[in-house]
């Protein structure tokens, strides 16, 4: 089925829904690289105009990638709440946008509808929204998850401490992690990207992070962001796994390029849940993600990272634009009830998001779509050193996403990751956002900060180094083997 629109006496035709969605997207260098972008601003406006009149029922009825050949497409269709979808199927994409921005779209309503909304619907409505719209709609939604602590509640801003080290030196990792804890960061997770992809290195990092958590009594999670198979091998050798990490994408072939499948993700989730049961983690957790309560005793154990352009970089995009594929990655993520989802928005490089305008737009899109689909969205507000962006543009996106209710950000020493060689957000940025927006850490973590003297009330303690010295004095216990 083709689509048509006329702008100032110039007619445009889009041969199918795939082309319409691609050309309605805000300008992205990745879509140009793939040959999918609108050729002019006028064509982009025409595509948006035509897309606004497409019904949600029509979007669901016309899969962009054949479900017979793509397990992500099949899973999207199989997990959709068809009963709830009947309430909205007759709405056009434009009408759905108006609904999301209206007072009728309360948080409880959006939570009930989240499994009725497919990733393609989320992508379609995102393409019709301004940056302000994306912030306003996302701010309505809070998706709460639980593991060792509770994230995502209204008024809470969590931070992942990212103590990466270029040689995986355990002392360097611990010192960097402690630095973050002393700034009130680390409630989302203490997560290390390993420099070496080996079972031995991953196991050593996991053991060290667990000792840090246990010795200091920190109510948080640890994670070593190696490939899922490496983490599971470390688990078999006795390594403690709090969160199981994996990068994911929006097509079967893109996930295969990462060396992962839906069945492997399911196996990993179940193995870590069994591992947690043996360690007594989350025994009383009852988690509601996307409005579907988990069984009593289950909690959130998965950590996923995504980013616009990943499927294109793997030559696995099937002619679908990068925003829509990012939404489909969220369709994968929500089935596994993750504790954290992180859009690493500027990391993939300027080939896919060329400059600060595109990075800011993508960050707001990703956060909105993930929240709409029921996910606990965080964002690595970042850029590579060869992108047309700087720390001021990162500050802009950081503030916009904080206003939108983003669950968590990265905490990197001085914003400069010396192992991955990119720029992110710092511990100081976290303190600034919490103070500016009146936010607090996760409740269990906030109580620990208060008990140790790192926090005075809801903010960092200013006077005296005694709390810091007490925590620093325990480092030898953490590092002993």
């Amino acid at each position: 089925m083709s689509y048509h629109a006329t702008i100032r006496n110039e007619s445009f035709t889009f041969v199918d829904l795939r082309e319409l969605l691609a050309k309605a997207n805000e300008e992205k260098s990745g879509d140009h690289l793939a040959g999918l972008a609108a050729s002019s601003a006028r064509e982009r406006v025409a595509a948006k105009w035509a897309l606004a009149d497409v019904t949600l029922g029509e979007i669901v009825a016309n899969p962009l990638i054949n479900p017979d050949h793509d397990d992500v497409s099949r899973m999207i269709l199989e997990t959709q709440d068809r009963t709830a979808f009947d309430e909205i199927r007759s709405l056009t994409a434009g009408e759905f946008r108006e609904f999301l921005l209206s007072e009728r779209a309360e948080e409880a309503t959006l939570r009930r509808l989240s499994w009725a909304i497919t990733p393609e619907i989320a992508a379609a409505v995102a393409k019709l929204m301004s940056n302000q719209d994306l912030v306003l709609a996302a701010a309505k939604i809070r998706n709460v998850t639980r593991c060792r602590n509770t994230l995502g509640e209204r008024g809470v801003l969590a931070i992942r401490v990212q103590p990466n080290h270029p040689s995986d030196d355990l002392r360097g990792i611990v010192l960097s992690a402690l630095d973050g804890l002393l700034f009130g960061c680390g409630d989302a997770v203490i997560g290390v990207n390993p420099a070496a992809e080996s079972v031995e290195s991953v196991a050593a990092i996991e053991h060290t992070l667990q000792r840090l958590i246990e010795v200091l009594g920190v109510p948080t999670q640890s994670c070593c962001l190696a490939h899922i198979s490496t983490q599971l091998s470390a688990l078999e050798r006795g390594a403690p796994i709090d969160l199981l990490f994996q990068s994911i994408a929006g097509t079967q072939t893109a996930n295969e390029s990462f060396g992962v499948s839906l069945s492997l993700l399911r196996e990993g989730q179940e193995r870590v849940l069994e591992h947690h049961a043996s360690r007594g983690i989350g025994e009383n957790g009852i988690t509601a993600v996307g409005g579907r309560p988990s069984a009593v005793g289950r909690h959130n154990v998965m950590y996923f990272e995504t980013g616009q352009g990943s499927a294109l970089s793997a030559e696995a995009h099937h002619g679908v634009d990068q925003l829509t594929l990012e939404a489909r990655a969220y369709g994968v993520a929500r089935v596994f009830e993750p504790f954290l989802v992180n859009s690493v928005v500027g990391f993939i490089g300027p080939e896919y998001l060329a400059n600060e305008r595109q990075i800011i737009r993508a960050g707001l899109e990703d956060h909105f779509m993930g929240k709409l689909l029921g996910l606990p969205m965080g964002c690595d507000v970042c850029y590579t050193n060869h992108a047309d962006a700087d720390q001021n543009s990162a500050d802009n996106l950081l503030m916009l996403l904080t206003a939108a209710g983003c669950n968590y950000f990265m905490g990197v020493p001085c914003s400069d990751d010396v192992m991955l060689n990119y720029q992110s957000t710092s511990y100081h940025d976290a303190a600034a956002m919490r103070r500016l927006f009146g936010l607090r850490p996760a409740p269990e973590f906030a109580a620990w900060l208060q008990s140790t003297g790192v926090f005075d009330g809801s903010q960092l303690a200013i006077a005296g180094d005694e709390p810091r010295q007490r925590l620093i004095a325990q480092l030898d216990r953490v590092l002993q083997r």
Side-chain angles (χ1 to χ4, degrees):
M1 178 178 179
S2 60
Y3 301 87
H4 309 275
T6 300
I7 303 294
R8 292 186 177 179
N9 298 320
E10 184 177 1
S11 296
F12 296 88
T13 297
F14 308 97
V15 297
D16 55 20
L17 185 60
R18 185 185 303 179
E19 182 183 14
L20 180 65
L21 285 167
K23 294 196 172 180
N25 199 16
E26 290 296 301
E27 186 174 15
K28 308 281 176 60
S29 53
D31 290 336
H32 283 289
L33 182 65
L36 303 175
S39 59
S40 65
R42 185 171 292 184
E43 185 179 28
R44 183 174 298 108
V45 170
K48 290 177 185 289
W49 192 277
L51 178 59
D53 288 334
V54 178
T55 66
L56 306 189
E58 188 174 338
I59 292 173
V60 172
N62 292 275
L64 303 181
I65 303 174
N66 190 336
D68 293 335
H69 305 132
D70 182 83
D71 58 8
V72 174
S73 293
R74 288 198 299 278
M75 185 173 66
I76 289 170
L77 294 175
E78 289 168 358
T79 57
Q80 186 190 21
D81 185 340
R82 298 299 179 90
T83 301
F85 182 59
D86 286 341
E87 299 177 33
I88 59 174
R89 70 164 59 245
S90 63
L91 294 178
T92 65
E95 289 169 342
F96 189 50
R97 170 189 172 274
E98 294 300 318
F99 166 73
L100 292 175
L101 296 173
S102 73
E103 296 301 320
R104 292 178 295 137
E106 298 177 343
E107 183 175 5
T109 301
L110 296 178
R111 184 177 295 114
R112 181 175 55 79
L113 290 174
S114 62
W115 283 89
I117 300 166
T118 64
E120 290 82 358
I121 289 173
V125 73
K127 294 168 191 286
L128 302 180
M129 287 184 156
S130 68
N131 286 6
Q132 183 185 93
D133 293 341
L134 295 170
V135 171
L136 180 61
K140 297 182 177 188
I141 309 167
R142 303 303 304 191
N143 296 319
V144 178
T145 54
R146 298 178 179 89
C147 186
R148 289 178 179 268
N149 60 19
T150 306
L151 297 189
E153 294 176 326
R154 197 165 294 278
V156 169
L157 174 60
I159 304 295
R160 168 190 161 186
V161 165
Q162 185 170 303
N164 295 344
H165 194 281
S167 64
D168 288 338
D169 179 80
L170 297 178
R171 181 172 292 272
I173 289 171
V174 168
L175 286 171
S176 181
L178 180 59
D179 186 27
L181 291 171
L182 292 173
F183 274 100
C185 300
D187 45 346
V189 63
I190 303 175
V192 174
N193 299 86
E197 180 77 28
S198 72
V199 175
E200 294 74 18
S201 179
V202 169
I205 291 170
E206 292 281 14
H207 280 294
T208 300
L209 294 179
Q210 282 297 311
R211 282 198 298 274
L212 175 67
I213 288 172
E214 291 168 3
V215 168
L216 300 185
V218 189
T220 191
Q221 302 69 223
S222 68
C223 184
C224 187
L225 283 73
H227 189 273
I228 185 173
S229 59
T230 307
Q231 294 170 82
L232 293 176
S233 294
L235 178 64
E236 290 176 357
R237 300 189 188 185
I241 303 290
D242 284 350
L243 297 181
L244 186 64
F245 166 81
Q246 182 56 48
S247 294
I248 57 172
T251 71
Q252 178 177 338
T253 49
N255 284 322
E256 288 171 350
S257 76
F258 292 160
V260 67
S261 64
L262 301 183
S263 60
L264 179 58
L265 294 176
R266 179 64 71 195
E267 175 192 350
Q269 180 190 35
E270 295 302 327
R271 287 177 61 182
V272 173
L273 282 167
E274 293 172 2
H275 170 65
H276 279 210
S278 69
R279 295 167 62 198
I281 299 176
E283 290 180 337
N284 298 316
I286 303 176
T287 304
V289 178
R292 291 188 172 185
S294 299
V296 173
R298 287 177 70 93
H299 54 289
N300 308 103
V301 300
M302 304 299 285
Y303 175 10
F304 295 124
E305 288 192 344
T306 66
Q308 289 194 30
S310 58
L312 175 58
S313 70
E315 298 183 351
H317 63 293
H318 301 283
V320 178
D321 68 275
Q322 63 186 40
L323 169 61
T324 303
L325 290 177
E326 179 72 1
R328 285 168 56 92
Y330 303 150
V332 173
R334 67 176 175 176
V335 173
F336 299 96
E337 299 179 300
F339 183 69
L340 304 170
V341 177
N342 179 33
S343 168
V344 194
V345 66
F347 183 75
I348 199 166
E351 298 81 5
Y352 306 93
L353 296 171
N355 52 43
E356 63 180 81
R357 177 173 58 81
Q358 294 184 16
I359 292 171
I360 288 172
R361 175 68 188 188
L364 297 177
E365 291 167 341
D366 295 353
H367 177 256
F368 161 75
M369 293 189 299
K371 280 286 191 69
L372 190 63
L373 293 168
L375 287 171
M377 287 302 298
C379 186
D380 190 346
V381 177
C382 62
Y383 59 97
T384 57
N385 292 319
H386 62 310
D388 184 12
D390 59 21
Q391 212 61 35
N392 285 328
S393 55
D395 286 349
N396 291 340
L397 179 55
L398 181 67
M399 287 185 284
L400 287 168
L401 284 172
T402 305
C406 193
N407 278 29
Y408 72 101
F409 299 110
M410 303 300 108
V412 177
C414 299
S415 304
D416 185 6
D417 192 302
V418 296
M419 193 278 282
L420 293 174
N421 195 30
Y422 80 118
Q423 309 304 310
S424 185
T425 51
S426 71
Y427 306 142
H428 302 78
D429 294 329
M433 291 304 101
R434 284 172 174 163
R435 184 171 183 179
L436 181 62
F437 288 89
L439 303 174
R440 61 190 185 279
E444 303 88 346
F445 191 79
W448 176 81
L449 292 171
Q450 185 73 29
S451 69
T452 57
V454 175
F455 263 36
D456 180 6
S458 62
Q459 297 295 332
L460 285 169
I462 298 174
D465 288 331
E466 185 179 347
R468 292 168 174 78
Q469 293 303 323
R470 285 200 303 268
L471 293 175
I472 292 170
Q474 300 183 68
L475 283 183
D476 285 341
R477 292 176 56 200
V478 175
L479 292 165
Q480 67 184 4
R481 300 196 185 189

